[in-house]
């Protein structure tokens, strides 16, 4: 079964410095039908204006993945980490017992476009941690590239949950397939472009909850970038 969450049905708003869309309930937006999907708790699509950002604030007991689509995002945290997250990077912050962090757009002329993803950990109380890796475009072109997993396989960043995140770049007519094991679930998020998922069309910003589907076939309709979550 594939249930589509259309882009224009998401929550959020335009606050001048931040234009944001929430796939699941977040902050002041609440929809009991879309509170989470399995361990996937948040997918926020953000456009942050030049020189603006999120000041230092706390989190705990959450696996936070930031995936930048355009521009750069400056990260700082109470663990002493500081970096610029670029398109294609996979950045994971395990909030665990508690961490403070800030995210800002260091550019004075260009906005930054990103997805922030929260995954509920397998248990509370993990040690806070941070990891960032670059995943070149060639590794995602026409294939599903694993970028986050519970065991760090294939060079992915490590998260404290039985969940795997893949990213693919698809040209029109290009296909990738993913076998979904019995009892597993999936969520597809279209970051850019347009695709067909088992014959169902999804466009930029759309998501899809997937269950009881043994094989997933993704085909590019327009040049596309997609994120696929394989979930317990």
């Amino acid at each position: 079964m594939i249930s589509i969450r259309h882009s224009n049905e998401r929550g959020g708003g335009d606050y001048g410095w931040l234009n944001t869309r929430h796939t699941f309930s977040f902050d002041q937006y609440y929809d009991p039908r879309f509170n989470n999907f399995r361990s996937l708790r948040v997918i926020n699509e953000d456009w942050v204006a030049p020189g603006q950002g999120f000041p230092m604030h706390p989190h705990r007991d959450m696996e936070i993945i930031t995936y930048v689509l355009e521009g750069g995002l400056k990260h700082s945290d109470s663990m002493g980490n500081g970096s610029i997250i670029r398109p294609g990077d996979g950045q994971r912050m395990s909030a665990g017992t508690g961490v403070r962090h800030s995210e800002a757009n260091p550019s004075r002329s260009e906005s930054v476009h990103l997805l922030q993803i929260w995954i509920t950990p397998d248990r509370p109380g993990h040690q806070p941690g941070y990891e960032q890796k670059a995943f070149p475009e060639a590794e995602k072109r026409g294939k599903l590239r694993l970028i986050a997993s519970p065991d760090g396989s294939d060079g992915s960043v490590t998260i404290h949950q039985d969940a795997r995140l893949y990213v693919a770049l698809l040209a029109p007519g290009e296909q990738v397939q993913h076998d979904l094991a019995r009892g597993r679930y999936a969520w597809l998020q279209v970051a850019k472009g347009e695709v067909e998922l088992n014959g169902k069309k999804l466009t930029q910003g759309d998501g899809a909850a997937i269950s009881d589907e043994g094989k997933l076939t993704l085909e590019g309709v327009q040049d596309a970038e997609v994120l696929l979550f394989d979930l317990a």
Side-chain angles (χ1 to χ4, degrees):
M1 181 172 70
I2 298 174
S3 178
I4 297 176
R5 170 70 152 150
H6 291 289
S7 174
N8 61 5
E9 297 173 348
R10 296 177 295 175
D14 190 343
Y15 302 98
W17 70 275
L18 171 68
N19 188 346
T20 183
R21 294 294 178 267
H22 307 323
T23 295
F24 302 109
S25 298
F26 184 84
D27 193 27
Q28 300 175 48
Y29 170 66
Y30 177 69
D31 186 334
R33 301 170 303 160
F34 295 98
N35 219 25
N36 64 290
F37 182 72
R38 310 301 293 176
S39 60
L40 187 54
R41 177 62 188 85
V42 165
I43 302 177
N44 288 351
E45 183 175 13
D46 294 336
W47 293 262
V48 181
Q52 301 294 317
F54 305 92
M56 197 68 75
H57 59 282
H59 288 292
R60 65 179 300 134
D61 293 325
M62 197 63 69
E63 302 293 295
I64 301 172
I65 298 170
T66 302
Y67 190 77
V68 173
L69 298 165
E70 294 174 325
L73 189 71
K74 183 179 180 181
H75 169 90
S76 300
D77 63 47
S78 56
M79 296 178 284
N81 299 297
S83 66
I84 303 292
I85 310 165
R86 301 289 184 188
D89 290 352
Q91 183 246 43
R92 177 270 303 170
M93 187 179 72
S94 296
T97 54
V99 69
R100 294 176 60 83
H101 77 123
S102 66
E103 312 288 342
N105 182 358
S107 173
R108 295 297 170 182
S109 59
E110 297 180 354
S111 63
V112 57
H113 181 197
L114 66 129
L115 295 175
Q116 187 170 92
I117 298 150
W118 293 8
I119 295 174
T120 305
D122 53 9
R123 64 170 177 83
H126 284 289
Q127 277 293 109
Y130 180 87
E131 195 175 7
Q132 181 175 335
K133 294 184 177 181
F135 298 93
E137 180 177 324
E139 296 181 4
K140 297 174 285 188
R141 177 63 60 190
K143 63 192 79 172
L144 286 164
R145 175 58 163 106
L146 183 67
I147 69 166
S149 70
D151 56 5
S153 58
D154 295 332
S156 59
V157 300
T158 305
I159 56 175
H160 298 294
Q161 181 52 267
D162 184 5
R164 288 168 173 79
L165 169 57
Y166 300 85
V167 176
L169 300 171
L170 298 174
E174 199 165 32
Q175 282 192 357
V176 292
Q177 292 187 331
H178 181 72
D179 292 325
L180 198 59
R182 187 176 181 85
R184 303 284 296 183
Y185 300 78
W187 182 278
L188 179 72
Q189 189 70 29
V190 181
K192 294 181 181 180
E194 186 174 318
V195 298
E196 285 189 355
L197 169 63
N198 289 9
K200 294 181 180 290
K201 189 171 289 187
L202 291 93
T203 60
Q204 194 276 330
D206 288 351
I210 304 158
S211 59
D212 299 320
E213 297 275 342
K215 185 179 290 292
L216 308 180
T217 299
L218 277 166
E219 181 173 341
V221 177
Q222 300 173 356
D223 285 328
E225 186 166 8
V226 297
L227 283 73
L228 178 67
F229 300 83
D230 186 319
L231 306 162

